[in-house]
Amino acid sequence: MNREETIEKLKGIVKPYIQNQEAFDNLTESTDFIKDLQINSANLVDVILDIEEEFDIVIDNESMERMIDVKSAMEIIETKLSKK
Amino acid sequence: MIGNDIVDLALARKESNWKRNGFLDKIFTTKEQLLISNAENPEVMVWNLWSRKEAAYKIYNRKTQIRGYFPLQLECFDLNIIDGIFFGKVVIKDLIYFTKTEITTQFVHTIAVENVQDFDTIKTLENRKNIQKNNGIPSYLEKDNSFLIPISISHHGRFEQIVSL
């Protein structure tokens, strides 16, 4: 899976939880899940569970701590995928 | 220092499926999960504990400037009910915060403070006038002396609460 495919898949995962469409339409690596996309913090756990299911990876607690923006999410997904 | 968090129970029911596989494991410690499974109303206990963690996180974030998603590091303990108000503590690393939670059929609202006596001096602000944010952290600007008073804002669904000391 290349970077574009990963980011597209990630966009599909976060879409149901976003509350700021404009920030979503202009999503970049620096987009913050809570500050920009305004995802409810209780829904961030759903994003994480959806990522685990979609990519068939396990996000450990240490990785989860950093899961607050697109950049960190991409890094975590790519690292976990490379270890599969 | 103060932090608060409000949960609109009707909206939470729509937005979150706390019974989803893995959901509780990602955000609640074993002890907290026991409180949930033993509760008369597990759903309300989920949001009760969640709002305590969120309120405590807001103080922690303001103090340390550390941002992250680490609900398991914030553990609720010493839950107590005094005259219908739910008190308790939240620990993260070597820091302990005191929490006070109001639960109705419509919402759960927690206020967290650093010193237990701060509960006596909590003020509620009616609107967002003279509020500014620095690094996402809100303060109230006092007009006459230009002091910045730390405040906490929580908004969910039908409810908004703005509090300060």
Side-chain angles (χ1 to χ4, degrees), chain A residues 11-45:
Chain A
K11 277 187 87 167
I13 290 170
V14 299
K15 197 168 189 250
Y17 308 109
I18 59 141
Q19 296 189 67
N20 183 340
Q21 186 65 42
E22 205 190 327
F24 180 75
D25 293 339
N26 300 310
L27 186 135
T28 66
E29 287 220 342
S30 64
T31 300
D32 190 288
F33 290 144
I34 292 175
K35 282 184 187 164
D36 300 319
L37 299 179
Q38 286 168 26
I39 294 174
N40 180 314
S41 56
N43 279 141
L44 204 48
V45 70

Side-chain angles (χ1 to χ4, degrees), chain B residues 95-162:
Chain B
L95 298 164
I96 291 177
Y97 302 118
F98 296 86
T99 59
K100 184 178 174 180
T101 305
E102 186 189 357
I103 299 174
T104 73
T105 54
Q106 302 301 313
F107 67 82
V108 175
H109 180 223
T110 296
I111 296 175
V113 294
E114 283 177 297
N115 305 299
V116 73
Q117 59 268 31
D118 290 340
F119 284 135
D120 300 332
T121 55
I122 289 164
K123 295 184 209 61
T124 303
L125 280 71
E126 296 303 323
N127 55 55
R128 296 195 184 210
K129 243 185 261 169
N130 300 323
I131 288 174
Q132 45 181 256
K133 282 191 181 179
N134 187 359
N135 230 341
I137 300 171
S139 298
Y140 176 83
L141 178 69
E142 267 196 345
K143 274 269 157 67
D144 33 337
N145 52 21
S146 305
F147 280 161
L148 278 174
I149 317 274
I151 61 157
S152 178
I153 304 173
S154 184
H155 176 241
H156 189 229
R158 297 164 289 165
F159 305 106
E160 177 168 85
Q161 281 285 327
I162 309 172

Side-chain angles (χ1 to χ4, degrees), chain A residues 32 40-41 50 52 65, chain B residues 20 26 54 67 69 73:
Chain A
D32 190 288
N40 180 314
S41 56
D50 291 348
E52 288 190 332
E65 290 181 15
Chain B
R20 174 180 186 181
K26 289 265 188 247
E54 282 281 298
R67 261 194 92 219
Y69 196 57
Q73 281 195 44

Side-chain angles (χ1 to χ4, degrees), chain B residues 4-154:
Chain B
N4 78 329
D5 187 66
I6 197 157
V7 177
D8 181 333
L9 289 171
L11 185 60
R13 217 162 279 147
K14 242 170 67 185
E15 283 178 341
S16 298
N17 172 18
W18 62 271
K19 290 183 177 165
R20 174 180 186 181
N21 213 353
F23 187 95
L24 296 179
D25 289 333
K26 289 265 188 247
I27 55 183
F28 295 112
T29 65
T30 315
K31 282 183 200 161
E32 290 169 336
Q33 290 190 44
L34 209 60
L35 290 170
I36 292 165
S37 55
N38 290 336
E40 210 172 295
N41 187 334
E43 181 200 357
V44 172
M45 185 56 93
V46 165
W47 302 118
N48 176 354
L49 296 175
W50 177 252
S51 76
R52 292 169 194 242
K53 285 175 190 260
E54 282 281 298
Y57 170 76
K58 285 181 186 171
I59 302 185
Y60 181 77
N61 171 236
R62 185 188 284 273
K63 270 204 97 111
T64 63
Q65 300 285 319
I66 294 171
R67 261 194 92 219
Y69 196 57
F70 36 80
L72 286 172
Q73 281 195 44
L74 294 138
E75 185 170 51
C76 304
F77 69 108
D78 265 6
L79 279 70
N80 256 315
I81 308 177
I82 304 169
D83 294 333
I85 301 285
F86 295 73
F87 290 91
K89 293 170 195 155
V90 174
V91 60
I92 174 159
K93 299 196 176 105
D94 53 350
L95 298 164
I96 291 177
Y97 302 118
F98 296 86
T99 59
K100 184 178 174 180
T101 305
E102 186 189 357
I103 299 174
T104 73
T105 54
Q106 302 301 313
F107 67 82
V108 175
H109 180 223
T110 296
I111 296 175
V113 294
E114 283 177 297
N115 305 299
V116 73
Q117 59 268 31
D118 290 340
F119 284 135
D120 300 332
T121 55
I122 289 164
K123 295 184 209 61
T124 303
L125 280 71
E126 296 303 323
N127 55 55
R128 296 195 184 210
K129 243 185 261 169
N130 300 323
I131 288 174
Q132 45 181 256
K133 282 191 181 179
N134 187 359
N135 230 341
I137 300 171
S139 298
Y140 176 83
L141 178 69
E142 267 196 345
K143 274 269 157 67
D144 33 337
N145 52 21
S146 305
F147 280 161
L148 278 174
I149 317 274
I151 61 157
S152 178
I153 304 173
S154 184

